[in-house]
Amino acid sequence: MSEAMLSKVRKLLAQAEDPACTPAESAAFTAKATELIARYGVDRALLAARLPATDPVGDRVVDIVAPYARDKVGLLAAVAEPLRCRCVRRRQGNGFALHLFGFASDLERVDLLFTSLLVQAAHGLAGTPVPAGEHPVAFRRSWLAGFAQVIGGRLWAAETAAASGAGTPSVALVLADRSDRVQRRLAEQYPRLRTAPPRRLAGTGFGSGAEAGRRADLGGRDLGTGSAVGRQLRR
């Protein structure tokens, strides 16, 4: 991501986090930061359509450890899929190894966003009291599910808006081709992949987690620091 883009995103996030901002102003700054990152993804896709070597298809394995390893996987998937990446979950010890597939620029965006959102989710959970009589683990898992669902919806909306506003009629074809190429790369390594069954969660934290997801910054707090996902997941 270019330094000019990083500077814009950092400035917007600093404004969004200013205590003097009203909620409406903070939301506007956050939305603009999200828009910039989504637009960056489209710009890189169009550039790679002309110069494929600038953005190759790749993959990486991310170790996701306890506690709440399955819930962290859900959050990472909620970030990865709207950004045209695919992921395969493999059991590893008391956690998971998540194999991510995508173009280099999209994997970079997933890394930046997920690192920030993981920290925000931890802060949100810490500030949300568990209702009396409810098991803390069940409540927190449902909270994280609500958080991830709303984040995924916000990212889908931002990516769709960026593609629609690109002003290039062929952008939909370019993005569809990229998604197909990522899927083929995944199928080469996992030809017999099975879809995991849906989870059943008993806690009542979904609503408050969803509200936290609506408030979350989607610009990434430590943009430009490199591959930070693994570091955050190991804390």
Side-chain angles (χ1 to χ4, degrees):
M1 192 173 289
S2 70
E3 284 302 318
M5 180 71 78
L6 288 173
S7 177
K8 289 180 181 178
V9 172
R10 287 192 185 106
K11 183 177 180 181
L12 286 165
L13 290 178
Q15 290 172 307
E17 294 163 6
D18 188 338
C21 274
T22 67
E25 290 170 336
S26 180
F29 290 135
T30 299
K32 185 61 178 179
T34 307
E35 176 189 338
L36 288 176
I37 287 183
R39 191 187 307 164
Y40 168 77
V42 172
D43 289 345
R44 286 297 302 269
L46 294 175
L47 174 63
R50 301 191 305 270
L51 302 169
T54 62
D55 198 17
V57 179
D59 65 290
R60 64 180 63 171
V61 176
V62 179
D63 295 332
I64 300 184
V65 299
Y68 303 106
R70 187 174 302 230
D71 309 286
K72 294 172 186 175
V73 167
L75 178 58
L76 184 48
V79 173
E81 291 180 9
L83 274 56
R84 295 179 291 279
C85 295
R86 295 294 305 278
C87 49
V88 175
R89 187 185 71 190
R90 304 192 308 245
R91 173 64 70 177
Q92 180 174 276
N94 64 348
F96 297 92
L98 200 69
H99 199 167
L100 289 173
F101 296 83
F103 282 80
S105 62
D106 293 330
L107 290 170
E108 175 192 22
R109 295 191 302 147
V110 170
D111 187 340
L112 297 174
L113 287 170
F114 179 61
T115 299
S116 174
L117 289 167
L118 193 64
V119 173
Q120 293 181 61
H123 291 163
L125 274 176
T128 304
V130 177
E134 183 159 2
H135 195 286
V137 172
F139 177 82
R140 288 166 184 155
R141 283 177 174 162
S142 61
W143 190 100
L144 287 165
F147 184 83
Q149 180 172 299
V150 169
I151 290 299
R154 290 178 62 189
L155 290 174
W156 278 115
E159 293 295 310
T160 300
S164 300
T168 304
S170 62
V171 67
L173 294 176
V174 169
L175 297 179
D177 178 68
R178 283 166 72 90
S179 295
D180 288 345
R181 290 175 63 187
V182 171
Q183 179 60 36
R184 290 197 298 270
R185 178 68 174 267
L186 181 150
E188 289 172 359
Q189 297 201 36
Y190 297 96
R192 299 180 180 178
L193 192 63
R194 294 182 299 175
T195 301
R199 296 181 70 194
R200 294 186 178 184
L201 298 171
T204 63
F206 189 94
S208 56
E211 180 58 32
R214 284 186 280 271
R215 295 192 305 266
D217 288 337
L218 296 183
R221 293 180 178 276
D222 293 316
L223 299 176
T225 59
S227 180
V229 169
R231 292 195 296 275
Q232 289 292 342
L233 288 171
R234 289 177 175 81
R235 291 181 180 177

mmCIF file of all heavy atoms in Angstrom, residues 190-233:
data_model
loop_
_atom_site.group_PDB
_atom_site.id
_atom_site.type_symbol
_atom_site.label_atom_id
_atom_site.label_comp_id
_atom_site.label_asym_id
_atom_site.label_seq_id
_atom_site.Cartn_x
_atom_site.Cartn_y
_atom_site.Cartn_z
ATOM 1 N N TYR A 190 -6.428 -28.443 -2.348
ATOM 2 C CA TYR A 190 -7.461 -29.126 -1.568
ATOM 3 C C TYR A 190 -8.570 -29.606 -2.517
ATOM 4 O O TYR A 190 -9.670 -29.023 -2.552
ATOM 5 C CB TYR A 190 -8.045 -28.181 -0.514
ATOM 6 C CG TYR A 190 -7.049 -27.720 0.516
ATOM 7 C CD1 TYR A 190 -6.386 -26.499 0.376
ATOM 8 C CD2 TYR A 190 -6.761 -28.500 1.634
ATOM 9 C CE1 TYR A 190 -5.470 -26.066 1.322
ATOM 10 C CE2 TYR A 190 -5.852 -28.071 2.588
ATOM 11 C CZ TYR A 190 -5.200 -26.858 2.420
ATOM 12 O OH TYR A 190 -4.299 -26.431 3.365
ATOM 13 N N PRO A 191 -8.301 -30.644 -3.314
ATOM 14 C CA PRO A 191 -9.294 -31.084 -4.307
ATOM 15 C C PRO A 191 -10.522 -31.735 -3.698
ATOM 16 O O PRO A 191 -11.546 -31.867 -4.385
ATOM 17 C CB PRO A 191 -8.504 -32.085 -5.163
ATOM 18 C CG PRO A 191 -7.415 -32.576 -4.263
ATOM 19 C CD PRO A 191 -7.046 -31.409 -3.398
ATOM 20 N N ARG A 192 -10.463 -32.158 -2.459
ATOM 21 C CA ARG A 192 -11.597 -32.829 -1.826
ATOM 22 C C ARG A 192 -12.076 -32.068 -0.597
ATOM 23 O O ARG A 192 -12.435 -32.652 0.417
ATOM 24 C CB ARG A 192 -11.219 -34.260 -1.444
ATOM 25 C CG ARG A 192 -10.829 -35.130 -2.643
ATOM 26 C CD ARG A 192 -10.467 -36.524 -2.201
ATOM 27 N NE ARG A 192 -10.093 -37.361 -3.347
ATOM 28 C CZ ARG A 192 -9.701 -38.621 -3.254
ATOM 29 N NH1 ARG A 192 -9.624 -39.201 -2.053
ATOM 30 N NH2 ARG A 192 -9.379 -39.306 -4.329
ATOM 31 N N LEU A 193 -12.124 -30.790 -0.700
ATOM 32 C CA LEU A 193 -12.489 -29.940 0.428
ATOM 33 C C LEU A 193 -13.969 -30.096 0.765
ATOM 34 O O LEU A 193 -14.825 -30.163 -0.116
ATOM 35 C CB LEU A 193 -12.189 -28.484 0.082
ATOM 36 C CG LEU A 193 -12.234 -27.464 1.216
ATOM 37 C CD1 LEU A 193 -11.176 -27.781 2.252
ATOM 38 C CD2 LEU A 193 -12.031 -26.066 0.652
ATOM 39 N N ARG A 194 -14.266 -30.161 2.063
ATOM 40 C CA ARG A 194 -15.638 -30.256 2.529
ATOM 41 C C ARG A 194 -16.015 -28.995 3.319
ATOM 42 O O ARG A 194 -15.178 -28.407 3.989
ATOM 43 C CB ARG A 194 -15.832 -31.482 3.418
ATOM 44 C CG ARG A 194 -15.665 -32.801 2.690
ATOM 45 C CD ARG A 194 -15.931 -33.958 3.631
ATOM 46 N NE ARG A 194 -14.991 -33.965 4.750
ATOM 47 C CZ ARG A 194 -15.060 -34.817 5.782
ATOM 48 N NH1 ARG A 194 -16.040 -35.704 5.831
ATOM 49 N NH2 ARG A 194 -14.162 -34.775 6.743
ATOM 50 N N THR A 195 -17.284 -28.618 3.234
ATOM 51 C CA THR A 195 -17.773 -27.458 3.967
ATOM 52 C C THR A 195 -18.116 -27.858 5.402
ATOM 53 O O THR A 195 -18.803 -28.860 5.621
ATOM 54 C CB THR A 195 -19.027 -26.874 3.289
ATOM 55 O OG1 THR A 195 -18.695 -26.512 1.952
ATOM 56 C CG2 THR A 195 -19.531 -25.653 4.042
ATOM 57 N N ALA A 196 -17.636 -27.076 6.352
ATOM 58 C CA ALA A 196 -17.914 -27.367 7.759
ATOM 59 C C ALA A 196 -19.374 -27.077 8.082
ATOM 60 O O ALA A 196 -19.972 -26.139 7.533
ATOM 61 C CB ALA A 196 -17.012 -26.526 8.653
ATOM 62 N N PRO A 197 -19.991 -27.866 8.959
ATOM 63 C CA PRO A 197 -21.387 -27.603 9.336
ATOM 64 C C PRO A 197 -21.490 -26.311 10.134
ATOM 65 O O PRO A 197 -20.526 -25.874 10.780
ATOM 66 C CB PRO A 197 -21.748 -28.819 10.199
ATOM 67 C CG PRO A 197 -20.440 -29.301 10.738
ATOM 68 C CD PRO A 197 -19.429 -29.032 9.659
ATOM 69 N N PRO A 198 -22.650 -25.656 10.108
ATOM 70 C CA PRO A 198 -22.818 -24.408 10.872
ATOM 71 C C PRO A 198 -22.735 -24.662 12.370
ATOM 72 O O PRO A 198 -23.106 -25.724 12.862
ATOM 73 C CB PRO A 198 -24.219 -23.931 10.461
ATOM 74 C CG PRO A 198 -24.923 -25.164 9.995
ATOM 75 C CD PRO A 198 -23.873 -26.038 9.389
ATOM 76 N N ARG A 199 -22.248 -23.658 13.081
ATOM 77 C CA ARG A 199 -22.136 -23.769 14.530
ATOM 78 C C ARG A 199 -23.465 -23.425 15.191
ATOM 79 O O ARG A 199 -24.270 -22.654 14.661
ATOM 80 C CB ARG A 199 -21.070 -22.813 15.064
ATOM 81 C CG ARG A 199 -19.674 -23.107 14.596
ATOM 82 C CD ARG A 199 -18.704 -22.114 15.198
ATOM 83 N NE ARG A 199 -18.540 -22.323 16.631
ATOM 84 C CZ ARG A 199 -17.967 -21.439 17.441
ATOM 85 N NH1 ARG A 199 -17.534 -20.300 16.969
ATOM 86 N NH2 ARG A 199 -17.829 -21.700 18.719
ATOM 87 N N ARG A 200 -23.673 -23.984 16.370
ATOM 88 C CA ARG A 200 -24.818 -23.646 17.195
ATOM 89 C C ARG A 200 -24.306 -22.990 18.470
ATOM 90 O O ARG A 200 -23.563 -23.609 19.234
ATOM 91 C CB ARG A 200 -25.640 -24.897 17.515
ATOM 92 C CG ARG A 200 -26.310 -25.509 16.292
ATOM 93 C CD ARG A 200 -27.229 -26.649 16.683
ATOM 94 N NE ARG A 200 -27.910 -27.220 15.529
ATOM 95 C CZ ARG A 200 -28.820 -28.176 15.606
ATOM 96 N NH1 ARG A 200 -29.153 -28.681 16.788
ATOM 97 N NH2 ARG A 200 -29.396 -28.644 14.508
ATOM 98 N N LEU A 201 -24.706 -21.751 18.678
ATOM 99 C CA LEU A 201 -24.226 -20.991 19.826
ATOM 100 C C LEU A 201 -25.387 -20.724 20.779
ATOM 101 O O LEU A 201 -26.484 -20.356 20.358
ATOM 102 C CB LEU A 201 -23.614 -19.668 19.356
ATOM 103 C CG LEU A 201 -22.395 -19.814 18.434
ATOM 104 C CD1 LEU A 201 -22.006 -18.466 17.853
ATOM 105 C CD2 LEU A 201 -21.227 -20.431 19.185
ATOM 106 N N ALA A 202 -25.110 -20.897 22.073
ATOM 107 C CA ALA A 202 -26.173 -20.786 23.071
ATOM 108 C C ALA A 202 -26.186 -19.448 23.782
ATOM 109 O O ALA A 202 -27.160 -19.104 24.454
ATOM 110 C CB ALA A 202 -26.024 -21.910 24.098
ATOM 111 N N GLY A 203 -25.117 -18.662 23.685
ATOM 112 C CA GLY A 203 -25.030 -17.415 24.445
ATOM 113 C C GLY A 203 -25.937 -16.329 23.901
ATOM 114 O O GLY A 203 -26.451 -16.416 22.784
ATOM 115 N N THR A 204 -26.105 -15.268 24.699
ATOM 116 C CA THR A 204 -26.974 -14.151 24.327
ATOM 117 C C THR A 204 -26.190 -12.901 23.932
ATOM 118 O O THR A 204 -26.741 -11.805 23.892
ATOM 119 C CB THR A 204 -27.908 -13.799 25.496
ATOM 120 O OG1 THR A 204 -27.109 -13.350 26.617
ATOM 121 C CG2 THR A 204 -28.749 -14.992 25.912
ATOM 122 N N GLY A 205 -24.908 -13.062 23.630
ATOM 123 C CA GLY A 205 -24.082 -11.896 23.339
ATOM 124 C C GLY A 205 -24.098 -11.438 21.904
ATOM 125 O O GLY A 205 -23.444 -10.446 21.557
ATOM 126 N N PHE A 206 -24.859 -12.110 21.018
ATOM 127 C CA PHE A 206 -24.821 -11.795 19.593
ATOM 128 C C PHE A 206 -25.167 -10.325 19.327
ATOM 129 O O PHE A 206 -24.485 -9.647 18.562
ATOM 130 C CB PHE A 206 -25.790 -12.703 18.829
ATOM 131 C CG PHE A 206 -25.676 -12.603 17.332
ATOM 132 C CD1 PHE A 206 -24.871 -13.469 16.617
ATOM 133 C CD2 PHE A 206 -26.373 -11.622 16.641
ATOM 134 C CE1 PHE A 206 -24.761 -13.375 15.241
ATOM 135 C CE2 PHE A 206 -26.272 -11.515 15.262
ATOM 136 C CZ PHE A 206 -25.463 -12.400 14.564
ATOM 137 N N GLY A 207 -26.215 -9.823 19.963
ATOM 138 C CA GLY A 207 -26.655 -8.458 19.693
ATOM 139 C C GLY A 207 -25.620 -7.419 20.081
ATOM 140 O O GLY A 207 -25.354 -6.487 19.321
ATOM 141 N N SER A 208 -25.023 -7.567 21.264
ATOM 142 C CA SER A 208 -24.026 -6.577 21.685
ATOM 143 C C SER A 208 -22.748 -6.711 20.861
ATOM 144 O O SER A 208 -22.066 -5.721 20.582
ATOM 145 C CB SER A 208 -23.718 -6.718 23.177
ATOM 146 O OG SER A 208 -23.301 -8.029 23.501
ATOM 147 N N GLY A 209 -22.418 -7.934 20.417
ATOM 148 C CA GLY A 209 -21.273 -8.098 19.529
ATOM 149 C C GLY A 209 -21.522 -7.454 18.182
ATOM 150 O O GLY A 209 -20.630 -6.831 17.594
ATOM 151 N N ALA A 210 -22.761 -7.599 17.670
ATOM 152 C CA ALA A 210 -23.112 -6.966 16.398
ATOM 153 C C ALA A 210 -23.020 -5.445 16.499
ATOM 154 O O ALA A 210 -22.531 -4.772 15.580
ATOM 155 C CB ALA A 210 -24.515 -7.385 15.976
ATOM 156 N N GLU A 211 -23.473 -4.883 17.612
ATOM 157 C CA GLU A 211 -23.382 -3.438 17.802
ATOM 158 C C GLU A 211 -21.927 -2.990 17.828
ATOM 159 O O GLU A 211 -21.576 -1.948 17.255
ATOM 160 C CB GLU A 211 -24.087 -3.037 19.098
ATOM 161 C CG GLU A 211 -24.040 -1.542 19.389
ATOM 162 C CD GLU A 211 -24.649 -0.699 18.284
ATOM 163 O OE1 GLU A 211 -25.598 -1.165 17.623
ATOM 164 O OE2 GLU A 211 -24.152 0.421 18.065
ATOM 165 N N ALA A 212 -21.055 -3.765 18.471
ATOM 166 C CA ALA A 212 -19.629 -3.437 18.475
ATOM 167 C C ALA A 212 -19.058 -3.518 17.065
ATOM 168 O O ALA A 212 -18.193 -2.728 16.683
ATOM 169 C CB ALA A 212 -18.872 -4.383 19.405
ATOM 170 N N GLY A 213 -19.529 -4.470 16.272
ATOM 171 C CA GLY A 213 -19.084 -4.564 14.884
ATOM 172 C C GLY A 213 -19.483 -3.347 14.068
ATOM 173 O O GLY A 213 -18.740 -2.909 13.194
ATOM 174 N N ARG A 214 -20.661 -2.786 14.354
ATOM 175 C CA ARG A 214 -21.087 -1.584 13.636
ATOM 176 C C ARG A 214 -20.234 -0.378 14.007
ATOM 177 O O ARG A 214 -20.082 0.553 13.211
ATOM 178 C CB ARG A 214 -22.562 -1.310 13.918
ATOM 179 C CG ARG A 214 -23.509 -2.234 13.168
ATOM 180 C CD ARG A 214 -24.958 -1.829 13.352
ATOM 181 N NE ARG A 214 -25.492 -2.295 14.617
ATOM 182 C CZ ARG A 214 -26.072 -3.483 14.794
ATOM 183 N NH1 ARG A 214 -26.180 -4.319 13.772
ATOM 184 N NH2 ARG A 214 -26.540 -3.844 15.975
ATOM 185 N N ARG A 215 -19.679 -0.377 15.218
ATOM 186 C CA ARG A 215 -18.845 0.749 15.654
ATOM 187 C C ARG A 215 -17.377 0.583 15.281
ATOM 188 O O ARG A 215 -16.612 1.548 15.362
ATOM 189 C CB ARG A 215 -18.927 0.903 17.176
ATOM 190 C CG ARG A 215 -20.294 1.283 17.716
ATOM 191 C CD ARG A 215 -20.190 1.692 19.176
ATOM 192 N NE ARG A 215 -19.555 0.669 19.983
ATOM 193 C CZ ARG A 215 -20.225 -0.263 20.664
ATOM 194 N NH1 ARG A 215 -21.548 -0.298 20.622
ATOM 195 N NH2 ARG A 215 -19.589 -1.166 21.393
ATOM 196 N N ALA A 216 -16.947 -0.606 14.872
ATOM 197 C CA ALA A 216 -15.522 -0.895 14.697
ATOM 198 C C ALA A 216 -14.899 -0.101 13.564
ATOM 199 O O ALA A 216 -15.536 0.153 12.542
ATOM 200 C CB ALA A 216 -15.325 -2.391 14.441
ATOM 201 N N ASP A 217 -13.657 0.295 13.772
ATOM 202 C CA ASP A 217 -12.874 0.911 12.706
ATOM 203 C C ASP A 217 -12.457 -0.166 11.718
ATOM 204 O O ASP A 217 -11.982 -1.227 12.115
ATOM 205 C CB ASP A 217 -11.597 1.568 13.267
ATOM 206 C CG ASP A 217 -11.908 2.832 14.058
ATOM 207 O OD1 ASP A 217 -12.974 3.418 13.814
ATOM 208 O OD2 ASP A 217 -11.096 3.205 14.905
ATOM 209 N N LEU A 218 -12.577 0.121 10.423
ATOM 210 C CA LEU A 218 -12.194 -0.849 9.404
ATOM 211 C C LEU A 218 -11.022 -0.371 8.575
ATOM 212 O O LEU A 218 -10.807 -0.829 7.460
ATOM 213 C CB LEU A 218 -13.389 -1.148 8.480
ATOM 214 C CG LEU A 218 -14.583 -1.804 9.152
ATOM 215 C CD1 LEU A 218 -15.658 -2.126 8.130
ATOM 216 C CD2 LEU A 218 -14.169 -3.067 9.871
ATOM 217 N N GLY A 219 -10.226 0.543 9.122
ATOM 218 C CA GLY A 219 -9.083 1.023 8.360
ATOM 219 C C GLY A 219 -7.782 0.376 8.737
ATOM 220 O O GLY A 219 -6.818 0.456 8.013
ATOM 221 N N GLY A 220 -7.721 -0.298 9.893
ATOM 222 C CA GLY A 220 -6.478 -0.928 10.334
ATOM 223 C C GLY A 220 -5.652 0.042 11.142
ATOM 224 O O GLY A 220 -5.278 1.104 10.677
ATOM 225 N N ARG A 221 -5.357 -0.297 12.385
ATOM 226 C CA ARG A 221 -4.660 0.640 13.260
ATOM 227 C C ARG A 221 -3.156 0.676 13.044
ATOM 228 O O ARG A 221 -2.519 1.676 13.319
ATOM 229 C CB ARG A 221 -4.949 0.289 14.722
ATOM 230 C CG ARG A 221 -6.399 0.525 15.091
ATOM 231 C CD ARG A 221 -6.651 0.163 16.535
ATOM 232 N NE ARG A 221 -8.029 0.442 16.862
ATOM 233 C CZ ARG A 221 -8.487 1.627 17.228
ATOM 234 N NH1 ARG A 221 -7.670 2.634 17.308
ATOM 235 N NH2 ARG A 221 -9.759 1.809 17.505
ATOM 236 N N ASP A 222 -2.572 -0.398 12.588
ATOM 237 C CA ASP A 222 -1.119 -0.439 12.433
ATOM 238 C C ASP A 222 -0.763 -0.667 10.972
ATOM 239 O O ASP A 222 0.016 -1.526 10.626
ATOM 240 C CB ASP A 222 -0.518 -1.548 13.293
ATOM 241 C CG ASP A 222 -0.673 -1.249 14.769
ATOM 242 O OD1 ASP A 222 -0.425 -0.109 15.157
ATOM 243 O OD2 ASP A 222 -1.044 -2.167 15.505
ATOM 244 N N LEU A 223 -1.356 0.151 10.097
ATOM 245 C CA LEU A 223 -1.094 -0.003 8.679
ATOM 246 C C LEU A 223 0.382 0.209 8.396
ATOM 247 O O LEU A 223 1.024 1.098 8.917
ATOM 248 C CB LEU A 223 -1.915 1.016 7.879
ATOM 249 C CG LEU A 223 -3.433 0.888 8.018
ATOM 250 C CD1 LEU A 223 -4.119 2.009 7.273
ATOM 251 C CD2 LEU A 223 -3.908 -0.446 7.501
ATOM 252 N N GLY A 224 0.911 -0.639 7.518
ATOM 253 C CA GLY A 224 2.293 -0.498 7.125
ATOM 254 C C GLY A 224 3.270 -1.220 8.016
ATOM 255 O O GLY A 224 4.471 -1.154 7.799
ATOM 256 N N THR A 225 2.805 -1.961 9.020
ATOM 257 C CA THR A 225 3.724 -2.632 9.914
ATOM 258 C C THR A 225 4.118 -4.008 9.415
ATOM 259 O O THR A 225 4.902 -4.697 10.041
ATOM 260 C CB THR A 225 3.105 -2.782 11.312
ATOM 261 O OG1 THR A 225 1.898 -3.539 11.202
ATOM 262 C CG2 THR A 225 2.821 -1.439 11.930
ATOM 263 N N GLY A 226 3.539 -4.429 8.293
ATOM 264 C CA GLY A 226 3.898 -5.740 7.753
ATOM 265 C C GLY A 226 2.969 -6.807 8.260
ATOM 266 O O GLY A 226 1.862 -6.540 8.696
ATOM 267 N N SER A 227 3.401 -8.059 8.193
ATOM 268 C CA SER A 227 2.533 -9.193 8.512
ATOM 269 C C SER A 227 2.316 -9.290 10.013
ATOM 270 O O SER A 227 3.107 -9.859 10.740
ATOM 271 C CB SER A 227 3.154 -10.492 8.002
ATOM 272 O OG SER A 227 2.337 -11.589 8.294
ATOM 273 N N ALA A 228 1.235 -8.678 10.477
ATOM 274 C CA ALA A 228 0.986 -8.593 11.912
ATOM 275 C C ALA A 228 -0.025 -9.602 12.407
ATOM 276 O O ALA A 228 -0.221 -9.730 13.609
ATOM 277 C CB ALA A 228 0.495 -7.173 12.262
ATOM 278 N N VAL A 229 -0.695 -10.300 11.501
ATOM 279 C CA VAL A 229 -1.741 -11.224 11.936
ATOM 280 C C VAL A 229 -1.208 -12.258 12.907
ATOM 281 O O VAL A 229 -1.765 -12.493 13.972
ATOM 282 C CB VAL A 229 -2.381 -11.917 10.712
ATOM 283 C CG1 VAL A 229 -3.271 -13.054 11.167
ATOM 284 C CG2 VAL A 229 -3.191 -10.923 9.910
ATOM 285 N N GLY A 230 -0.128 -12.884 12.544
ATOM 286 C CA GLY A 230 0.408 -13.941 13.392
ATOM 287 C C GLY A 230 0.781 -13.440 14.774
ATOM 288 O O GLY A 230 0.526 -14.114 15.780
ATOM 289 N N ARG A 231 1.338 -12.224 14.850
ATOM 290 C CA ARG A 231 1.732 -11.683 16.147
ATOM 291 C C ARG A 231 0.513 -11.460 17.031
ATOM 292 O O ARG A 231 0.523 -11.771 18.212
ATOM 293 C CB ARG A 231 2.494 -10.370 15.956
ATOM 294 C CG ARG A 231 3.852 -10.558 15.286
ATOM 295 C CD ARG A 231 4.691 -9.308 15.475
ATOM 296 N NE ARG A 231 4.094 -8.157 14.811
ATOM 297 C CZ ARG A 231 4.279 -7.861 13.539
ATOM 298 N NH1 ARG A 231 4.999 -8.656 12.762
ATOM 299 N NH2 ARG A 231 3.741 -6.775 13.008
ATOM 300 N N GLN A 232 -0.570 -10.913 16.468
ATOM 301 C CA GLN A 232 -1.748 -10.645 17.255
ATOM 302 C C GLN A 232 -2.389 -11.943 17.727
ATOM 303 O O GLN A 232 -2.863 -12.039 18.858
ATOM 304 C CB GLN A 232 -2.770 -9.838 16.444
ATOM 305 C CG GLN A 232 -2.344 -8.396 16.201
ATOM 306 C CD GLN A 232 -2.323 -7.579 17.468
ATOM 307 O OE1 GLN A 232 -2.925 -7.947 18.469
ATOM 308 N NE2 GLN A 232 -1.594 -6.480 17.459
ATOM 309 N N LEU A 233 -2.409 -12.940 16.888
ATOM 310 C CA LEU A 233 -3.076 -14.179 17.229
ATOM 311 C C LEU A 233 -2.340 -14.937 18.321
ATOM 312 O O LEU A 233 -2.935 -15.748 19.023
ATOM 313 C CB LEU A 233 -3.189 -15.082 15.993
ATOM 314 C CG LEU A 233 -4.204 -14.593 14.959
ATOM 315 C CD1 LEU A 233 -4.092 -15.412 13.704
ATOM 316 C CD2 LEU A 233 -5.615 -14.692 15.506
#
